Amino acid sequence: AQVLAESGGGSVQAGGALRLSCRAAGYILDNMGWFRQAPGKEREGVVALDRDGRTTYADSVKGRFTISKDNAENILYLQMNNLNAEDTAVYYCAAESAAACTRVGGMWSAAYVEKWGRGTQVTVSS
C-alpha cells in the first residue's frame, strides 16, 4: 500500500523552528509537497516540489520554510524557521503523479493531490 506518514509536529513558541518529515512507504517520491489547514480555514498549499526540482512556496512562508528530500530514504522534509502564530495548523504531506504539481493561481491546488498523509499538528504560541 502507498502510504505517506508525517512526523515532527509539535508546539513551539513564536520565533522557534520545527522540521517535519514525510516518509513515503510503497511510493516513489514524485511531485510532492506540503499543505496546511488551520481551524475554520481551507486547506492551503505551503510548498510544491516538482520531480524536476522546481519549487513554489506560498508567499506567507517564503524565506522561512525550506523543502528538501532524501531520495535514498524516500523522505520529504519541511524545515520551518521563525515560526509565528499564523503558522499554527495541521500540516499534510501530499503527492501528485502528473508531470508536475498542478498549480492554480500560482500555487499547487489541493484538488489535484492524489495522495495525502494523515497530517501532523503544528502549534505556535505567541
Side-chain angles (χ1 to χ4, degrees):
Q2 298 175 339
V3 177
L4 300 177
E6 305 95 335
S7 61
S11 297
V12 296
Q13 291 194 329
L18 285 172
R19 188 177 77 158
L20 305 183
S21 300
C22 173
R23 182 175 293 274
Y27 195 97
I28 298 174
L29 292 182
D30 209 321
N31 303 299
M32 297 189 70
W34 296 88
F35 285 76
R36 67 185 181 186
Q37 188 165 18
K41 294 188 176 181
E42 292 187 356
R43 193 167 298 189
E44 63 174 0
V46 175
V47 56
L49 173 61
D50 294 336
R51 66 181 76 192
D52 65 0
R54 177 190 176 196
T55 58
T56 301
Y57 289 90
D59 288 342
S60 59
V61 306
K62 282 180 181 177
R64 301 188 297 121
F65 289 13
T66 304
I67 191 170
S68 62
K69 63 180 180 178
D70 182 332
N71 288 322
E73 297 294 327
N74 236 21
I75 301 174
L76 187 73
Y77 297 102
L78 182 65
Q79 178 66 43
M80 306 186 296
N81 297 329
N82 194 21
L83 287 160
N84 57 59
E86 288 69 40
D87 296 317
T88 295
V90 177
Y91 284 71
Y92 297 89
C93 181
E96 180 181 354
S97 62
C101 296
T102 302
R103 291 161 172 81
V104 176
M107 191 60 217
W108 191 13
S109 170
Y112 294 91
V113 171
E114 297 169 45
K115 179 67 67 174
W116 293 99
R118 287 189 171 185
T120 184
Q121 176 71 46
V122 171
T123 302
V124 184
S125 57
S126 56

